[in-house]
Amino acid sequence: MKAIYKRELQSYLQNMTGVVFIAFLCGFVGVYFMALNLSYGYPYFSYTLTSVIFILMIAIPLLTMRSFAEDRKNKTDQLLLTSPVSLTSVVMGKYFSMVTIFAIPVAVFCLYPLIIKAQGTAYLKADYCSILMFFLLGCVYIAIGMFLSALTESQIIAVISTFGVLLVVYLWDGLSSFMPTAAGGNVAALGILWSVIALAVYQVMKNWIVSAVMEILGVAALVITYLVKSSLFESLLPDVMGKLSLIAVFSDVAGNQIFDASGIVLYVTVIGLFIFLTIQSIQKRRWS
């Protein structure tokens, strides 16, 4: 893993992708910091982070688009798949290299609350907790982008699909408000969602028997549960979506100064899930 990590980190810095990413993020956040914290006098740097959180769904896809798509296009992925290094080490090496690139501008952000403190009142605890959650949210985005990059050999498709998924994540709270609250509507929506999951499993495994069994069992469980106790489905989907909102976790810390360890658990879980999916998608290609 160490060799893969060093190679990928060096590659990001030599081809200027990492340098441009760092400069872009530092410059963009710096402009907001000057405007909101220095010019308008807001004492919370977390307010600046809340204002610029949308930039991650633009910057992160540009960082992750080449992680696996470039190797697949150039056929150099065959060297990785046949190397003595474990597939998990390859994926983790690439992931940690991107996280390191992202950590550089985040480390620069750690200086901003100290600048505010030098000018007057500052809330260091709230600001540094917000920076931590900002970093973890970026790590989640990187894991998502890496997985989508592993599914294609086109960097353009990788960046567009990653942007689309991150846009859904950004608009998640708004989308949850459009979800049905009636029990019947929730059952129908969950059935459609389960069908999408079964289709995704088929795309990864190429095994229609497993997908069909998943579909039948899932739909049957929904129907039986609805007939036995339909009240369980009332407002179920909006409530679940609210608990899975990645942006809400960050907003609670940065906007409301509410730090909940469950938010960190959610972020780490999503990171682990997409790293696992990345490994499985590449593993399938290794034996295909």
Side-chain angles (χ1 to χ4, degrees):
M1 185 181 78
K2 186 176 180 180
I4 299 294
Y5 169 78
K6 287 184 176 180
R7 191 200 73 168
E8 290 297 317
L9 184 61
Q10 186 177 17
S11 175
Y12 276 111
L13 296 177
Q14 286 182 345
N15 66 15
M16 299 301 292
T17 301
V19 175
V20 171
F21 174 84
I22 294 168
F24 173 72
L25 212 55
C26 286
F28 193 89
V29 176
V31 169
Y32 271 78
F33 171 71
M34 291 179 60
L36 299 177
N37 295 118
L38 299 184
S39 297
Y40 289 99
Y42 287 104
Y44 288 98
F45 178 63
S46 56
Y47 185 84
T48 297
L49 291 179
T50 303
S51 301
V52 303
I53 193 66
F54 70 91
I55 200 61
L56 288 181
M57 68 180 184
I58 300 174
I60 294 296
L62 299 176
L63 178 66
T64 61
M65 65 179 183
R66 60 178 293 273
S67 55
F68 283 99
E70 185 179 48
D71 289 336
R72 190 171 177 179
K73 180 180 180 180
N74 297 332
K75 306 303 181 183
T76 54
D77 61 329
Q78 299 302 318
L79 297 176
L80 294 176
L81 295 177
T82 57
S83 66
V85 181
S86 68
L87 193 54
T88 300
S89 297
V90 172
V91 173
M92 295 305 296
K94 285 178 173 286
Y95 177 73
F96 283 129
S97 67
M98 291 184 286
V99 168
T100 300
I101 295 295
F102 177 62
I104 295 174
V106 174
V108 175
F109 300 161
C110 292
L111 299 175
Y112 292 162
L114 300 179
I115 296 175
I116 297 174
K117 184 174 177 59
Q119 302 297 319
T121 304
Y123 300 91
L124 298 181
K125 183 177 179 181
D127 285 343
Y128 284 119
C129 285
S130 300
I131 293 173
L132 171 63
M133 300 308 291
F134 182 86
F135 173 71
L136 291 176
L137 180 61
C139 291
V140 172
Y141 283 7
I142 290 172
I144 295 173
M146 182 178 67
F147 168 66
L148 294 173
S149 178
L151 298 179
T152 179
E153 64 179 25
S154 171
Q155 295 187 39
I156 300 300
I157 294 177
V159 73
I160 292 176
S161 60
T162 303
F163 173 78
V165 171
L166 298 187
L167 179 62
V168 172
V169 171
Y170 184 74
L171 300 175
W172 189 265
D173 290 332
L175 293 175
S176 64
S177 64
F178 289 99
M179 292 296 104
T181 57
N186 275 272
V187 170
L190 288 171
I192 295 173
L193 179 60
W194 185 254
S195 298
V196 172
I197 294 174
L199 179 61
V201 170
Y202 172 76
Q203 290 297 324
V204 173
M205 300 181 64
K206 297 300 182 182
N207 190 324
W208 67 268
I209 297 178
V210 174
S211 300
V213 170
M214 278 187 59
E215 176 72 9
I216 294 171
L217 292 179
V219 173
L222 286 173
V223 173
I224 292 172
T225 305
Y226 175 73
L227 294 176
V228 173
K229 192 173 183 179
S230 60
S231 60
L232 291 175
F233 292 97
E234 293 180 358
S235 300
L236 177 62
L237 202 55
D239 292 343
V240 172
M241 289 183 65
K243 295 183 187 313
L244 297 178
S245 175
L246 300 176
I247 298 296
V249 172
F250 171 77
S251 298
D252 285 341
V253 177
N256 304 320
Q257 286 76 55
I258 301 175
F259 188 84
D260 189 352
S262 63
I264 296 180
V265 174
L266 175 62
Y267 282 173
V268 173
T269 301
V270 175
I271 291 171
L273 172 63
F274 278 97
I275 289 177
F276 172 78
L277 291 175
T278 302
I279 294 172
Q280 294 306 307
S281 65
I282 300 174
Q283 186 73 38
K284 169 188 164 293
R285 196 162 71 248
R286 167 183 276 181
W287 301 112
S288 62

